[in-house]
Amino acid sequence: MSKKIGYARVSTNQQELNLQIDALLKEGCDRSLILTDQVSGAKASRYT
């Protein structure tokens, strides 16, 4: 049985991930395998 990995991203701290996470769960993603990103790529380096 395969597991689904999810990725949810928002570009500002004022936005919320809840709707994206709910959609990923509905599609069968394992909650422990949902990766999230809440930092703007324009303001912070992702490769530190």
Side-chain angles (χ1 to χ4, degrees), residues 1-3 5 11-12 14 16-19 22 27 30 32 34-36 45 47-48:
M1 177 183 204
S2 63
K3 292 184 180 183
I5 299 172
S11 59
T12 69
Q14 290 76 31
E16 294 188 21
L17 295 165
N18 297 339
L19 291 175
D22 289 345
E27 289 299 317
D30 186 320
S32 66
I34 295 176
L35 307 172
T36 60
S45 174
Y47 306 104
T48 58

Side-chain angles (χ1 to χ4, degrees), residues 26-46:
K26 187 176 180 181
E27 289 299 317
C29 291
D30 186 320
R31 183 179 289 275
S32 66
L33 297 176
I34 295 176
L35 307 172
T36 60
D37 186 2
Q38 290 184 292
V39 179
S40 173
K43 295 183 181 179
S45 174
R46 292 171 195 250

